[in-house]
Amino acid sequence: MIKSFGNKTKVAVFISGRGSNLKSLFYFSKEKNSRVQICVVISNKKNAKGLNFAKKYNIKFKIYTFKNRFKDELKVLQILKKKNIKIICLAGFMKILSKEFIKKFKGKIINIHPSLLPKYKGLDTHNRAINNKEKYSGCTVHYVTPKLDSGKIILQKKVKIFKNDSAKSLQKRILNHEHKIYPKALKMILN
Ligand code: GRF
């Protein structure tokens, strides 16, 4: 459980690409009585599509390549401290955070993963689920620990795999559910 100070809990969202989960988190933060404020977006890609959204809605953003992870993590930590960030939401962030960084934000970093964890950790989850003839896949919001995609599960949604599903069609269907469960999970850990 994360204690919120004052009215709203300050959140940072880390992205690398499209940013559709960033959008859903942001819209959620703008709902009436929301207790969340998205204060900054961190991207490791200067061309991440999600940054256009941040610009459009005047959300502060910072770009760090993470090529020198140690240095960039220090800079990110400074910003998070300055902005009094209490929770980090990883939303398609394709860099692995160091053990030290995760330790500094212990229990306060969450991630969305496009599979029914603990199945299909890592990349290419939809192809792997289809190739293994799974009947279901889904998405999971979980706490981030140094072990990839292995932290405690907060919320999951099971999604049926249809016979004629391609990785693309399955990805699209699951993504719709991601947009619902990520804000819901964030709300849950604030209560
Ligand atoms: C999502 O499928 C998420 O589960 C995974 O990366 C993708 C990010 O998509 N971790 P988007 O950038 O939020 O649209």
Side-chain angles (χ1 to χ4, degrees), residues 13 25 29 45 50 54 59 73 80 107 110 125 132 150 155 167 169 177:
V13 182
L25 290 170
S29 77
K45 296 267 185 205
I59 314 166
E73 281 187 346
L80 301 181
I110 63 177
T125 54
N132 280 346
S150 300
L155 199 58
S169 62
H177 291 287

PDB file of all heavy atoms in Angstrom, residues 13 25 29 45 50 54 59 73 80 107 110 125 132 150 155 167 169 177:
ATOM      1  N   VAL A  13       5.624   8.349 -15.341  1.00  0.00           N
ATOM      2  CA  VAL A  13       5.400   7.239 -16.274  1.00  0.00           C
ATOM      3  C   VAL A  13       6.616   7.128 -17.180  1.00  0.00           C
ATOM      4  O   VAL A  13       7.058   8.122 -17.760  1.00  0.00           O
ATOM      5  CB  VAL A  13       4.113   7.462 -17.117  1.00  0.00           C
ATOM      6  CG1 VAL A  13       3.880   6.268 -18.044  1.00  0.00           C
ATOM      7  CG2 VAL A  13       2.895   7.655 -16.210  1.00  0.00           C
ATOM      8  N   LEU A  25      -3.491   6.075 -18.485  1.00  0.00           N
ATOM      9  CA  LEU A  25      -3.181   6.505 -17.109  1.00  0.00           C
ATOM     10  C   LEU A  25      -3.458   8.001 -16.950  1.00  0.00           C
ATOM     11  O   LEU A  25      -3.970   8.453 -15.920  1.00  0.00           O
ATOM     12  CB  LEU A  25      -1.722   6.193 -16.765  1.00  0.00           C
ATOM     13  CG  LEU A  25      -1.382   4.703 -16.593  1.00  0.00           C
ATOM     14  CD1 LEU A  25       0.130   4.502 -16.509  1.00  0.00           C
ATOM     15  CD2 LEU A  25      -2.057   4.121 -15.351  1.00  0.00           C
ATOM     16  N   SER A  29      -6.076   9.908 -14.569  1.00  0.00           N
ATOM     17  CA  SER A  29      -5.665  10.926 -13.590  1.00  0.00           C
ATOM     18  C   SER A  29      -6.532  12.178 -13.679  1.00  0.00           C
ATOM     19  O   SER A  29      -6.585  12.974 -12.746  1.00  0.00           O
ATOM     20  CB  SER A  29      -4.188  11.299 -13.792  1.00  0.00           C
ATOM     21  OG  SER A  29      -4.048  12.171 -14.907  1.00  0.00           O
ATOM     22  N   LYS A  45      13.689   7.140 -25.520  1.00  0.00           N
ATOM     23  CA  LYS A  45      13.717   7.353 -26.980  1.00  0.00           C
ATOM     24  C   LYS A  45      13.204   8.747 -27.285  1.00  0.00           C
ATOM     25  O   LYS A  45      12.080   9.094 -26.879  1.00  0.00           O
ATOM     26  CB  LYS A  45      12.786   6.356 -27.688  1.00  0.00           C
ATOM     27  CG  LYS A  45      13.205   4.915 -27.524  1.00  0.00           C
ATOM     28  CD  LYS A  45      14.080   4.515 -28.683  1.00  0.00           C
ATOM     29  CE  LYS A  45      14.409   3.045 -28.591  1.00  0.00           C
ATOM     30  NZ  LYS A  45      15.637   2.719 -29.274  1.00  0.00           N
ATOM     31  N   GLY A  50       4.681   8.388 -27.768  1.00  0.00           N
ATOM     32  CA  GLY A  50       4.024   8.820 -26.536  1.00  0.00           C
ATOM     33  C   GLY A  50       4.413  10.241 -26.131  1.00  0.00           C
ATOM     34  O   GLY A  50       3.667  10.914 -25.404  1.00  0.00           O
ATOM     35  N   ALA A  54       2.391  13.607 -24.574  1.00  0.00           N
ATOM     36  CA  ALA A  54       2.845  14.408 -23.428  1.00  0.00           C
ATOM     37  C   ALA A  54       2.875  15.891 -23.798  1.00  0.00           C
ATOM     38  O   ALA A  54       2.415  16.754 -23.038  1.00  0.00           O
ATOM     39  CB  ALA A  54       4.223  13.930 -22.973  1.00  0.00           C
ATOM     40  N   ILE A  59       2.284  17.656 -20.402  1.00  0.00           N
ATOM     41  CA  ILE A  59       2.889  16.861 -19.329  1.00  0.00           C
ATOM     42  C   ILE A  59       4.402  17.023 -19.498  1.00  0.00           C
ATOM     43  O   ILE A  59       4.928  16.886 -20.613  1.00  0.00           O
ATOM     44  CB  ILE A  59       2.529  15.355 -19.429  1.00  0.00           C
ATOM     45  CG1 ILE A  59       1.025  15.171 -19.689  1.00  0.00           C
ATOM     46  CG2 ILE A  59       2.958  14.601 -18.189  1.00  0.00           C
ATOM     47  CD1 ILE A  59       0.659  13.751 -20.124  1.00  0.00           C
ATOM     48  N   GLU A  73      20.324   7.021 -14.655  1.00  0.00           N
ATOM     49  CA  GLU A  73      19.459   6.701 -13.502  1.00  0.00           C
ATOM     50  C   GLU A  73      19.633   7.731 -12.392  1.00  0.00           C
ATOM     51  O   GLU A  73      18.672   8.112 -11.727  1.00  0.00           O
ATOM     52  CB  GLU A  73      19.769   5.293 -12.980  1.00  0.00           C
ATOM     53  CG  GLU A  73      19.130   4.201 -13.842  1.00  0.00           C
ATOM     54  CD  GLU A  73      19.281   2.815 -13.250  1.00  0.00           C
ATOM     55  OE1 GLU A  73      20.106   2.638 -12.318  1.00  0.00           O
ATOM     56  OE2 GLU A  73      18.568   1.908 -13.719  1.00  0.00           O
ATOM     57  N   LEU A  80      12.945  12.766 -10.014  1.00  0.00           N
ATOM     58  CA  LEU A  80      11.840  12.162  -9.261  1.00  0.00           C
ATOM     59  C   LEU A  80      11.782  12.746  -7.856  1.00  0.00           C
ATOM     60  O   LEU A  80      10.705  12.982  -7.311  1.00  0.00           O
ATOM     61  CB  LEU A  80      11.995  10.634  -9.209  1.00  0.00           C
ATOM     62  CG  LEU A  80      12.032   9.922 -10.571  1.00  0.00           C
ATOM     63  CD1 LEU A  80      12.171   8.422 -10.389  1.00  0.00           C
ATOM     64  CD2 LEU A  80      10.804  10.239 -11.407  1.00  0.00           C
ATOM     65  N   GLY A 107       9.013  -1.193  -3.893  1.00  0.00           N
ATOM     66  CA  GLY A 107       7.565  -1.319  -3.709  1.00  0.00           C
ATOM     67  C   GLY A 107       6.773  -0.176  -4.325  1.00  0.00           C
ATOM     68  O   GLY A 107       5.581  -0.045  -4.087  1.00  0.00           O
ATOM     69  N   ILE A 110       5.650  -0.010 -10.638  1.00  0.00           N
ATOM     70  CA  ILE A 110       4.776  -1.055 -11.174  1.00  0.00           C
ATOM     71  C   ILE A 110       4.898  -1.093 -12.694  1.00  0.00           C
ATOM     72  O   ILE A 110       5.372  -0.139 -13.317  1.00  0.00           O
ATOM     73  CB  ILE A 110       3.295  -0.887 -10.718  1.00  0.00           C
ATOM     74  CG1 ILE A 110       2.681   0.415 -11.225  1.00  0.00           C
ATOM     75  CG2 ILE A 110       3.198  -0.942  -9.203  1.00  0.00           C
ATOM     76  CD1 ILE A 110       1.190   0.568 -10.859  1.00  0.00           C
ATOM     77  N   THR A 125       5.461 -12.011 -26.365  1.00  0.00           N
ATOM     78  CA  THR A 125       4.550 -12.848 -25.571  1.00  0.00           C
ATOM     79  C   THR A 125       3.396 -13.422 -26.409  1.00  0.00           C
ATOM     80  O   THR A 125       3.018 -14.578 -26.218  1.00  0.00           O
ATOM     81  CB  THR A 125       3.935 -12.002 -24.429  1.00  0.00           C
ATOM     82  OG1 THR A 125       3.333 -10.841 -25.008  1.00  0.00           O
ATOM     83  CG2 THR A 125       4.987 -11.578 -23.437  1.00  0.00           C
ATOM     84  N   ASN A 132       2.259 -21.900 -28.637  1.00  0.00           N
ATOM     85  CA  ASN A 132       2.102 -22.972 -27.633  1.00  0.00           C
ATOM     86  C   ASN A 132       0.651 -23.443 -27.510  1.00  0.00           C
ATOM     87  O   ASN A 132       0.320 -24.192 -26.606  1.00  0.00           O
ATOM     88  CB  ASN A 132       2.573 -22.486 -26.253  1.00  0.00           C
ATOM     89  CG  ASN A 132       4.078 -22.553 -26.131  1.00  0.00           C
ATOM     90  OD1 ASN A 132       4.739 -23.188 -26.943  1.00  0.00           O
ATOM     91  ND2 ASN A 132       4.612 -21.901 -25.122  1.00  0.00           N
ATOM     92  N   SER A 150       8.773 -10.588 -12.531  1.00  0.00           N
ATOM     93  CA  SER A 150       8.541 -11.605 -11.494  1.00  0.00           C
ATOM     94  C   SER A 150       7.987 -11.064 -10.184  1.00  0.00           C
ATOM     95  O   SER A 150       7.763 -11.836  -9.257  1.00  0.00           O
ATOM     96  CB  SER A 150       9.865 -12.339 -11.208  1.00  0.00           C
ATOM     97  OG  SER A 150      10.329 -12.948 -12.380  1.00  0.00           O
ATOM     98  N   LEU A 155      -2.838  -7.076 -10.449  1.00  0.00           N
ATOM     99  CA  LEU A 155      -4.096  -7.322 -11.164  1.00  0.00           C
ATOM    100  C   LEU A 155      -3.808  -7.997 -12.504  1.00  0.00           C
ATOM    101  O   LEU A 155      -2.804  -7.689 -13.155  1.00  0.00           O
ATOM    102  CB  LEU A 155      -4.782  -5.969 -11.417  1.00  0.00           C
ATOM    103  CG  LEU A 155      -6.256  -5.946 -11.738  1.00  0.00           C
ATOM    104  CD1 LEU A 155      -7.092  -6.590 -10.624  1.00  0.00           C
ATOM    105  CD2 LEU A 155      -6.718  -4.506 -11.946  1.00  0.00           C
ATOM    106  N   ALA A 167      -0.668 -12.789 -33.881  1.00  0.00           N
ATOM    107  CA  ALA A 167      -0.060 -12.046 -32.768  1.00  0.00           C
ATOM    108  C   ALA A 167      -0.624 -10.625 -32.750  1.00  0.00           C
ATOM    109  O   ALA A 167      -0.876 -10.051 -31.691  1.00  0.00           O
ATOM    110  CB  ALA A 167       1.448 -12.034 -32.911  1.00  0.00           C
ATOM    111  N   SER A 169      -3.629  -9.465 -33.923  1.00  0.00           N
ATOM    112  CA  SER A 169      -5.025  -9.327 -33.466  1.00  0.00           C
ATOM    113  C   SER A 169      -5.116  -9.552 -31.952  1.00  0.00           C
ATOM    114  O   SER A 169      -5.855  -8.875 -31.251  1.00  0.00           O
ATOM    115  CB  SER A 169      -5.951 -10.286 -34.223  1.00  0.00           C
ATOM    116  OG  SER A 169      -5.587 -11.628 -33.994  1.00  0.00           O
ATOM    117  N   HIS A 177      -7.564  -4.265 -22.944  1.00  0.00           N
ATOM    118  CA  HIS A 177      -7.711  -4.626 -21.529  1.00  0.00           C
ATOM    119  C   HIS A 177      -6.606  -3.995 -20.677  1.00  0.00           C
ATOM    120  O   HIS A 177      -6.849  -3.632 -19.527  1.00  0.00           O
ATOM    121  CB  HIS A 177      -7.719  -6.145 -21.370  1.00  0.00           C
ATOM    122  CG  HIS A 177      -8.954  -6.766 -21.925  1.00  0.00           C
ATOM    123  ND1 HIS A 177     -10.178  -6.651 -21.293  1.00  0.00           N
ATOM    124  CD2 HIS A 177      -9.171  -7.457 -23.062  1.00  0.00           C
ATOM    125  CE1 HIS A 177     -11.092  -7.280 -22.028  1.00  0.00           C
ATOM    126  NE2 HIS A 177     -10.506  -7.768 -23.104  1.00  0.00           N
TER     127      HIS A 177
END
